[in-house]
Every structure is written in C-alpha cells, then in structure tokens.
Amino acid sequence: MPIKAILTDIEGTTSAVSFVFDVLFPYAQEHLPAFVRSRAQEPAVAEQIEAVRRESGEPDAELERVAEILLEWIAADRKATSLKSLQGMVWAEGYRAGQLKGHVYPDAVEALRRWHEQGYALYVYSSGSVQAQKLIFGCAEVGDLTPLFSGYFDTSSGHKREMDSYVRIAASIGLSASEILFLSDVVEELDAARQAGMYTCGLVREGGTLADHEVVERFDAIDPARY
C-alpha cells in the first residue's frame, strides 16, 4: 500500500537539536518565571499552573514554587505537557517580538515543499506542544512553512515511545498505519511507530545507525514513493 502521509519529528530531524537546547530552552528558562507571575490570572495560564501542581504532587504550591518546578523540569528535559504548553506561550511572545526564528534544515525545507507538491499529507509529531511546533515552522528563518502541514500532534496523543500513540495518530489522520512514513532520530520512537504498522526512516545527520531501521543523513535521500 503506497505511502499517503509523512509524519515527522522536529528535534534532531527537521531541526537542529542545538536550536532547542541552545536557543529555545535558555529563552524559556530566562522568561518563564516572570511570565508565570505576571500572567497567572489568565485562564489558559492558570490551567497549566494547576496541571503543574497536580503532576508535581504539590497541589498547594505557591506561584514561586511553581516557577521553581518548571525550571527544574526544563533542566531535566522533562516531557511534561503543562511545561511544554507554558514554554510554547513564552516562545510565542519571543517569536512575535522577533527575538526567535525557527530553525529548519534547508534540505528538510526543500523536501517538505516537494512532498507537499507531490500530494503527500504532511504531519508533525513532537514532544513540544502543538503551539511550539507551529511557531518553529510558522516563524522559520525561511518564512512561514505551516501551509505545508495538514496537522500536528504532541504528547496529548501519548508518549512518543509508545506504540498506542502512533495507532491513535493514524486513526486521527484517517489512514491505515501502513500508509504513513514516520521520520525520527530516536530509535525507540521508530520502534514504536513500526510496531503500530508505520514505515520508518531514521535521520542520522552526523552518521551512525538506529538499530535495524533504514537511516539517511539528509531529507533529500528519502523517497516516499519506494515504500
């Protein structure tokens, strides 16, 4: 059954890991405490603050403690949906102010545009919030890439190393898993996608292997038509 959709990771796949760790995380670390303090009364922010309290097991945490917890989670690269949501809000302000520009590899930009023109439906699945995903592609250094994509998925669909997450995503897209090609630089994610029935291709931009998955160094080495 031919591939009809391509589902891609961001960090280490379409975009440099260094952009996340050297640009986005430090920006959030610097601005998140003040953002939480000043915007805590806004419903969307208050909802995520309550989620932090629940997930941390500190339901009565004061605002300053919530800020501390968030900084601890950033340092630990914790995949908490509440953290990702708040980071996305902070990054949105940075992108709007022109202080941030999304990094997407040139070969990824070229391939995504080509695949879109060829009729493949393109989707994103990242541990970063959907909002953060749209910001990276919408405020990319090369301009707005969001018209290329048909949808976005984050950890609200499940963790990326669990097969059921990919089953849910395929159902949401409305295709059989065998009609979807998943791209990632993490072998556990590729394993989970394969277990769900998806085709997989690993990105190893600095060389190497990803267990028994096919790997490439650049997007222009991927031909969806041959799967």
Side-chain angles (χ1 to χ4, degrees):
M1 191 175 294
I3 294 297
K4 294 183 179 178
I6 300 169
L7 178 67
T8 183
D9 172 46
I10 295 178
E11 181 184 326
T13 305
T14 65
S15 308
V17 173
S18 60
F19 173 68
V20 176
F21 282 93
D22 298 341
V23 178
L24 291 183
F25 281 5
Y27 188 91
Q29 190 170 23
E30 179 182 352
H31 294 88
L32 195 50
F35 178 87
V36 168
R37 294 186 201 103
S38 63
R39 309 281 285 277
Q41 302 305 315
E42 297 180 13
V45 178
E47 179 182 355
Q48 298 307 324
I49 289 173
E50 284 305 309
V52 172
R53 289 175 172 136
R54 287 194 304 272
E55 189 166 347
S56 65
E58 300 184 33
D60 300 319
E62 298 289 342
L63 214 50
E64 288 302 317
R65 176 55 187 155
V66 170
E68 289 177 4
I69 292 169
L70 289 167
L71 293 179
E72 291 169 3
W73 287 357
I74 290 174
D77 190 23
R78 182 161 174 173
K79 310 300 185 184
T81 300
S82 54
L83 169 63
K84 298 300 181 182
S85 296
L86 289 167
Q87 283 178 321
M89 296 176 193
V90 170
W91 291 330
E93 293 193 343
Y95 282 111
R96 282 195 295 266
Q99 297 171 336
L100 294 171
K101 290 287 184 182
H103 173 268
V104 183
Y105 286 112
D107 59 280
V109 172
E110 181 180 341
L112 291 167
R113 285 174 171 162
R114 181 173 66 254
W115 295 339
H116 179 72
E117 290 173 0
Q118 292 173 343
Y120 293 101
L122 305 180
Y123 296 87
V124 179
Y125 182 28
S126 174
S127 57
S129 67
V130 166
Q131 180 188 24
Q133 297 171 29
K134 290 180 177 179
L135 288 168
I136 285 179
F137 290 111
C139 301
E141 295 162 342
V142 296
D144 183 6
L145 299 175
T146 56
L148 302 178
F149 296 99
S150 297
Y152 306 82
F153 300 94
D154 58 19
T155 52
S156 62
S157 296
H159 292 291
K160 296 183 70 183
R161 302 186 182 197
E162 297 177 357
M163 179 190 72
D164 289 348
S165 304
Y166 299 86
V167 172
R168 282 190 286 270
I169 287 172
S172 178
I173 290 174
L175 293 174
S176 164
S178 61
E179 296 175 300
I180 301 171
L181 172 63
F182 176 59
L183 312 177
S184 175
D185 66 324
V186 178
V187 68
E188 292 87 353
E189 297 174 4
L190 295 167
D191 287 344
R194 176 184 283 172
Q195 290 165 11
M198 293 183 184
Y199 285 94
T200 62
C201 183
L203 272 293
V204 287
R205 291 191 173 271
E206 297 181 4
T209 61
L210 292 170
D212 59 344
H213 297 274
E214 176 188 2
V215 297
V216 297
E217 292 188 7
R218 295 167 51 89
F219 268 64
D220 47 25
I222 301 170
D223 180 9
R226 72 176 188 78
Y227 289 92

